[in-house]
Amino acid sequence: MLAAIAVAAVMIWGLWPSRPTGLGTDITSHISTPASLYLSLNGREIVNGSIRGRAEGGGATYASRWGDALNWDLAWYDILADRSYRLKFAVAASELATLDTEKSNATISIVVGPGADIVVTTAHPEVARLIALRKGKELAELQGADPVILRELCAEPLPDDDPLAQKLKENSRANGWADQLEESMENRARFLGNNLPPSPRCPDAGEE
């Protein structure tokens, strides 16, 4: 009996893909869409109320000991549109680019807006490879390489009386975030000085 259990364990561990132990997460809103942001990963809060967004590095938080699922809970309050959105979605760690030769440090970026739009990306594979090999000269030549798009999603509008929507709206008006709001509005003005306002990809109802 013990031998059978041991064999099963070897089979499980042998067949199960390795998963990154580190994760770099970048969350922000589109430059045209100042927003108060909320993001959690497998129940661990990453950002709550920031307008500037956040770039975080650290250990990866998985949903279980056995899998590589990264379950995200994402919400934001679009300050200019006076509207909130939310979506829960999953990405497997195996989909992400890693930035070291041991393939232990993955990277993911999430951009929200305009409207209900969500774009989830990871590093371009050649960029990731050059970072891992510390090839600075070659990397400089690839600075314009587009990241790999993993998901293009549409969030669901939150009702105004939703507690999270109310909290994000309150945060956007709190004095503690005033500097970030001013910075975001200035960045938006500069962007729109040289670009047309982007049109949302998603219908307002939140359908894909």
Side-chain angles (χ1 to χ4, degrees):
M1 182 67 175
L2 291 177
I5 294 174
V7 170
V10 169
M11 291 180 64
I12 291 172
W13 285 107
L15 292 174
W16 195 261
S18 60
R19 60 187 190 179
T21 56
L23 179 65
T25 303
D26 186 83
I27 166 69
T28 187
S29 62
H30 190 276
I31 193 170
S32 68
T33 312
S36 177
L37 303 164
Y38 172 86
L39 180 69
S40 69
L41 168 60
N42 289 326
R44 181 179 66 84
E45 188 175 284
I46 294 175
V47 62
N48 189 349
S50 174
I51 297 172
R52 183 180 296 137
R54 184 176 181 185
E56 179 198 72
T61 303
Y62 290 101
S64 75
R65 294 176 57 190
W66 314 111
D68 70 343
L70 301 170
N71 297 320
W72 303 92
D73 185 359
L74 172 64
W76 71 97
Y77 170 67
D78 184 327
I79 294 170
L80 296 178
D82 188 26
R83 187 142 199 201
S84 297
Y85 301 91
R86 188 175 193 175
L87 187 70
K88 296 180 181 181
F89 63 96
V91 175
S94 57
E95 298 179 67
L96 305 181
T98 52
L99 306 180
D100 59 319
T101 54
E102 292 79 19
K103 299 187 179 300
S104 60
N105 291 294
T107 178
I108 188 170
S109 296
I110 302 170
V111 178
V112 303
D117 293 10
I118 302 170
V119 180
V120 183
T121 64
T122 192
H124 186 285
E126 183 63 9
V127 169
R129 186 184 73 84
L130 293 174
I131 291 174
L133 297 175
R134 300 183 180 180
K135 299 286 188 178
K137 181 179 179 180
E138 293 91 336
L139 182 61
E141 298 172 356
L142 281 176
Q143 287 304 307
D146 292 331
V148 175
I149 297 176
L150 301 176
R151 305 282 191 280
E152 289 184 314
L153 304 168
C154 297
E156 296 289 342
L158 282 176
D160 292 340
D161 59 355
D162 181 271
L164 181 55
Q166 291 179 338
K167 180 63 175 177
L168 291 173
K169 186 172 183 176
E170 290 171 4
N171 285 343
S172 72
R173 298 175 177 178
N175 289 336
W177 303 109
D179 290 345
Q180 291 191 20
L181 177 58
E182 181 179 359
E183 176 186 338
S184 294
M185 294 300 291
E186 290 174 352
N187 291 339
R188 178 180 186 273
R190 282 193 291 269
F191 173 80
L192 294 179
N194 298 297
N195 302 274
L196 293 173
S199 298
R201 171 180 46 81
C202 298
D204 198 48
E207 301 173 12
E208 293 192 38

